[in-house]
Amino acid sequence: MAKIENMDEATARIEAALYSAGRPLRIEDIIRASGTESRTKTLDLLQSIMKKTKTAFKALEVVILPDGSYVMQLKPEYSSTVKRYASKPVLPNATLKTLSYIAYMQPISSKQLVETRGSGVYSHLKELRQLDYISHQNVGRLKIYSTTEKFQKYFGIQGDVEDLKQRLFSKVRKTASMSRTNATPQIVTEVN
């Protein structure tokens, strides 16, 4: 591929890569997409794109994740607004349930996860580690899992682990009470 000298073209290529990837991209991937073959030029263009995105868009942002990768994403405060329009979830439901269980129970051992979520949890853990949403420490033969800073940033969660657990608990309580409220009219309807 020929080296791109036109900075407008290189910028457009970076924007296209970030937009279409749907996942974080490493700087090496962005350099390749830009065609500049220059880390310095690509980083300058990324900074420019990040500034332009901040002023031009209200719901979108380009951010640097803790692992140094870049992602174009919806700002966390707009996630619930567009949930029904999203075509494909970030994670399958079973994997998302495993992630939320880890977030609520952390630190948690692989043994506890298997007992609670079943043997399919191993594939969930592999996917979550690849996405860098969880990390583990080896304690003897056990692995102890917890969420990462990237998990918090990606899902728009600030605060420490105890704050996260409180917020998750209140969501579960709210969802459970809504389920009970919605279940009552169905029972009444079926009885009539």
Side-chain angles (χ1 to χ4, degrees):
M1 182 179 344
K3 184 177 175 183
I4 303 296
E5 297 292 336
N6 181 330
M7 290 304 112
D8 287 340
E9 175 65 19
T11 300
R13 288 168 163 247
I14 293 170
E15 290 171 354
L18 288 168
Y19 175 79
S20 64
R23 63 177 171 77
L25 293 176
R26 297 172 307 142
I27 188 64
E28 294 79 14
D29 298 324
I30 298 172
I31 293 168
R32 203 171 11 264
S34 75
T36 63
E37 298 177 10
S38 166
R39 183 180 197 88
T40 306
K41 283 181 186 176
T42 302
L43 287 170
D44 288 345
L45 292 173
L46 270 168
Q47 288 302 317
S48 173
I49 290 168
M50 291 170 77
K51 285 179 187 171
K52 281 192 279 184
T53 304
K54 259 187 186 168
T55 58
F57 299 107
K58 304 299 179 212
L60 299 177
E61 63 185 355
V62 176
V63 295
I64 305 171
L65 297 176
D67 66 356
S69 60
Y70 291 79
V71 65
M72 179 179 280
Q73 65 182 19
L74 187 66
K75 290 181 181 176
E77 60 265 28
Y78 295 102
S79 295
S80 61
T81 306
V82 299
K83 194 181 297 183
R84 69 177 141 237
Y85 306 111
S87 58
K88 184 181 174 198
V90 175
L91 294 168
N93 275 344
T95 307
L96 194 56
K97 285 180 181 180
T98 298
L99 178 60
S100 63
Y101 192 76
I102 292 168
Y104 185 68
M105 300 300 291
Q106 66 183 306
I108 185 167
S109 71
S110 51
K111 180 182 176 187
Q112 290 171 299
L113 284 166
V114 170
E115 288 171 356
T116 307
R117 300 282 303 137
S119 62
V121 80
Y122 293 115
S123 64
H124 304 164
L125 292 172
K126 181 179 179 184
E127 184 175 3
L128 293 169
R129 279 193 316 267
Q130 287 173 342
L131 291 168
D132 194 30
Y133 290 157
I134 61 171
S135 63
H136 71 275
Q137 292 181 326
N138 292 327
V139 178
R141 295 177 64 185
L142 285 179
K143 290 184 178 181
I144 306 296
Y145 290 92
S146 56
T147 57
T148 62
E149 186 180 333
K150 181 177 177 182
F151 161 82
Q152 289 187 343
K153 185 148 184 159
Y154 189 83
F155 288 99
I157 301 167
Q158 283 83 31
D160 63 358
V161 172
E162 290 308 314
D163 182 45
L164 170 63
K165 287 181 180 184
Q166 282 295 83
R167 291 169 65 190
L168 285 172
F169 182 71
S170 68
K171 288 259 189 209
V172 168
R173 215 176 25 213
K174 184 178 177 184
T175 304
S177 70
M178 286 174 44
S179 296
R180 282 192 301 266
T181 306
N182 292 340
T184 307
Q186 289 177 332
I187 294 169
V188 171
T189 309
E190 291 170 7
V191 171
N192 290 335

